[in-house]
Amino acid sequence: MMGEGAARPGPCGAAVFVCGAAVMIFEIAGSRVLAPYAGASLCVWTSLIGVILASLSAGYWSGGLIADRRPSAGTLALIIFLAAAFVAATACLKDVLLARLRARVEDQAAFSLAACAILFSPASVCLGMVPPFAARLKLRRLERAGSAVGGLYALSAAGSIAGTFLAGFVLIPRLGSAASLLIVSFALGCASIAVRAGASAAARVLLLAALPALCRYPHRPGGRELVADVDTAYSRAWIYRDVDEETGRPVLLLSTDPYGQESGIYLDGDGLALDYMRFFRLAGHFVPGLARTLLIGGAAYAYPKDHLARFPGATIDVVEIDPMLTALSRKYFKLRDDPRLTIYHEDGRIFLNRTRSRYDVVIIDAFRDSSCIPFHLATLEAARRVHAVLNDGGAVFVNLIGAIEGPGGRITRAEYATYADVFPRVYIFPVSDPGNGLETQNVVLVALKSDAPPPMRSENAELDGYLRHLWRGPIEDDLPVLTDDRAPVEYYLAGAG
């Protein structure tokens, strides 16, 4: 017979299934929680997976220990409810905690590990305690211990599989990371009540009902006027109003991190609000008479509109992986349909691999997070595909964030070496301070398909000003070219690797 306080087999198995699903939803949502503050690099995924696995291991051990000492359904219900509370706390406090931690920890690896430990370890420990505890409660006959334990762990694995698909295909794309975490918390709370109802169940129901109210406040990036905060299938996007420090003009900015901005427009008229985009206007200098341009990375579509206005007879194809950013650009950033503008919603490298179109200019302005170019767009193989789609005499522009000299310049030097292996002429234009090779800033790389030396002066005063930013110092040849097999762009950007 089952001992006093033992959990019923049905609810116990269901709770194990729900907890298994919760682990994977929690982990996948965790990558979205961290991305605005830490990026989505290999370093972040390594920290997230490592911390959660370590926490689950601690939970397996401690759960088995506690189950041997207090094998009651009430204890198991409390463990599951604590997991629910910790998941809810992650949903409610993630922005506040990550912003404060980011202000105190600069090292990327240290920040990733600390953030994962603070936000994801407590709930993961509790979730890891459930399978061994449930197995202890379910054991009635020693001769069937193997099948009982195996059946519970199979249920846990089945839940993890279901949670993986549910998170990636339904919850996060449709509802966002915070709402997904609250749903997980609510499901865990219900599982807790199913395992053991009683006097404490009413209090748990009341706490669960209050959870959504805890997450109603918006996070305002940097104290700026927030217009929209949207979870997309690929990132979290903030749209906010601000004032341009140089001109004093009001701007509307798009950001996938709460401190910087990826694109933006002036609210009181035309013009490019971000300095680095103005260097793309050199396309007409390096490729006179350009007709077809490809831009990888649309964001708020500020540059495509400028390009069409400056080159009346030209067309531009924009490859933007995230359809939601296009929708937001239509709603907030004055993007309108234009017969000379064609938009493709797909990965930029995949487009390069499959397209049969030819272009006079290719512009790569894509970032996996706020400062790091996707590695597969930075490699030798990608550069060869760009070379293949360019017409003779064409040019490619690549927007990077990094220094030129020193450890912070590794990403720039590696990308320079990669393009120099394919293109006969490669130039570097630091955007903010052309004389300071140690400053981390936007750096525009320009590679020409022609071997003929281009003029580095222009009668157009604006373009001549951009040309004066040409880096004329040496570029150290200390790094191998980036390849699809090895492209540690996030480590180079951090000055490591």
Side-chain angles (χ1 to χ4, degrees):
M1 295 182 61
M2 296 176 65
E4 183 181 356
R8 292 167 290 167
C12 191
V16 169
F17 181 90
V18 169
C19 290
V23 169
M24 293 311 301
I25 298 173
F26 194 48
E27 182 172 334
I28 295 172
S31 68
R32 305 301 298 275
V33 168
L34 292 169
Y37 301 88
S41 68
L42 183 63
C43 175
V44 173
W45 272 106
T46 299
S47 299
L48 181 61
I49 294 172
V51 166
I52 288 180
L53 285 176
S55 301
L56 289 172
S57 297
Y60 297 149
W61 176 80
S62 58
L65 191 65
I66 295 172
D68 285 338
R69 295 179 178 179
R70 298 187 59 185
S72 70
T75 303
L76 177 59
L78 177 60
I79 291 171
I80 298 173
F81 188 77
L82 285 175
F86 285 129
V87 171
T90 298
C92 298
L93 303 176
K94 57 186 176 62
D95 289 313
V96 173
L97 291 175
L98 287 171
R100 292 184 178 180
L101 185 64
R102 178 81 278 180
R104 290 167 172 77
V105 182
E106 294 184 2
D107 181 77
Q108 180 74 355
F111 173 80
S112 299
L113 283 170
C116 290
I118 293 170
L119 287 176
F120 304 111
S121 186
S124 298
V125 169
C126 291
L127 291 170
M129 295 170 71
V130 173
F133 206 107
R136 175 64 177 83
L137 295 183
K138 195 172 182 181
L139 288 179
R140 290 182 290 175
R141 298 171 59 186
L142 187 60
E143 60 269 20
R144 297 185 60 84
S147 60
V149 173
L152 282 175
Y153 276 88
L155 275 174
S156 179
S160 295
I161 294 169
T164 299
F165 290 111
L166 186 63
F169 292 151
V170 180
L171 291 178
I172 296 174
R174 295 177 182 272
L175 302 177
S177 56
S180 298
L181 290 175
L182 285 176
I183 289 172
V184 168
S185 177
F186 188 83
L188 289 170
C190 292
S192 169
I193 294 170
V195 167
R196 179 64 183 271
S200 64
R204 282 178 267 163
V205 169
L206 290 175
L207 285 173
L208 287 173
L211 288 177
L214 297 176
C215 287
R216 293 181 65 85
Y217 68 90
H219 176 63
R220 302 186 180 277
R224 296 166 287 197
E225 183 184 352
L226 185 66
V227 175
D229 181 352
V230 180
D231 270 296
T232 78
Y234 294 90
S235 64
R236 183 177 178 185
W238 284 280
I239 298 172
Y240 53 89
R241 293 186 184 91
D242 206 344
V243 176
D244 185 79
E245 294 181 356
E246 294 183 4
T247 65
R249 297 174 64 183
V251 292
L252 187 70
L253 299 170
L254 170 69
S255 177
T256 56
D257 111 17
Y259 309 106
Q261 55 272 325
E262 280 64 64
S263 189
I265 61 172
Y266 289 117
L267 290 173
D268 60 355
D270 297 327
L272 291 171
L274 301 187
D275 290 345
Y276 80 89
M277 288 186 181
R278 298 168 194 160
F279 282 72
F280 298 159
R281 293 171 175 172
L282 287 171
H285 173 80
F286 289 112
V287 189
L290 65 88
R292 297 197 68 191
T293 295
L294 170 66
L295 170 65
I296 298 178
Y301 289 80
Y303 181 75
K305 292 183 292 183
D306 183 81
H307 184 88
L308 293 175
R310 283 185 166 258
F311 304 101
T315 65
I316 185 168
D317 292 351
V318 179
V319 180
E320 170 54 57
I321 194 172
D322 194 339
M324 181 58 72
L325 292 187
T326 302
L328 292 172
S329 296
R330 295 186 186 279
K331 183 176 181 179
Y332 296 103
F333 292 93
K334 305 176 184 178
L335 175 63
R336 302 290 182 265
D337 291 333
D338 191 303
R340 296 187 293 136
L341 168 65
T342 304
I343 298 172
Y344 300 90
H345 291 125
E346 63 180 290
D347 180 88
R349 175 67 181 277
I350 294 175
F351 181 88
L352 286 173
N353 289 343
R354 73 165 181 81
T355 186
R356 295 183 179 181
S357 299
R358 293 295 178 267
Y359 298 93
D360 300 307
V361 174
V362 174
I363 300 172
I364 299 178
D365 188 21
F367 286 84
R368 185 185 55 213
D369 49 60
S370 62
S371 58
C372 193
I373 185 172
F375 87 90
H376 62 297
L377 284 173
T379 63
L380 179 67
E381 292 84 353
R384 287 172 176 166
R385 286 303 305 154
V386 171
H387 188 276
V389 305
L390 279 173
N391 291 321
D392 292 341
V396 54
F397 290 67
V398 183
N399 177 34
L400 302 168
I401 295 179
I404 299 174
E405 301 175 317
R410 289 185 174 185
I411 181 63
T412 303
R413 297 196 301 274
E415 191 72 333
Y416 179 89
T418 300
Y419 272 84
D421 197 70
V422 178
F423 288 83
R425 294 194 175 271
V426 184
Y427 303 96
I428 294 292
F429 291 88
V431 171
S432 300
D433 188 349
N436 187 353
L438 294 174
E439 179 183 347
T440 297
Q441 56 187 303
N442 284 93
V443 175
V444 176
L445 179 150
V446 179
L448 307 181
K449 195 169 182 178
S450 172
D451 191 34
M456 285 299 174
R457 298 294 299 272
S458 173
E459 295 182 0
N460 182 301
E462 179 191 6
L463 298 184
D464 193 62
Y466 303 146
L467 290 170
R468 291 178 184 275
H469 280 242
L470 174 67
W471 176 256
R472 299 184 182 277
I475 299 178
E476 188 176 0
D477 184 16
D478 61 335
L479 294 168
V481 300
L482 301 170
T483 67
D484 286 350
D485 180 61
R486 185 176 185 272
V489 290
E490 60 268 1
Y491 292 95
Y492 285 167
L493 184 64

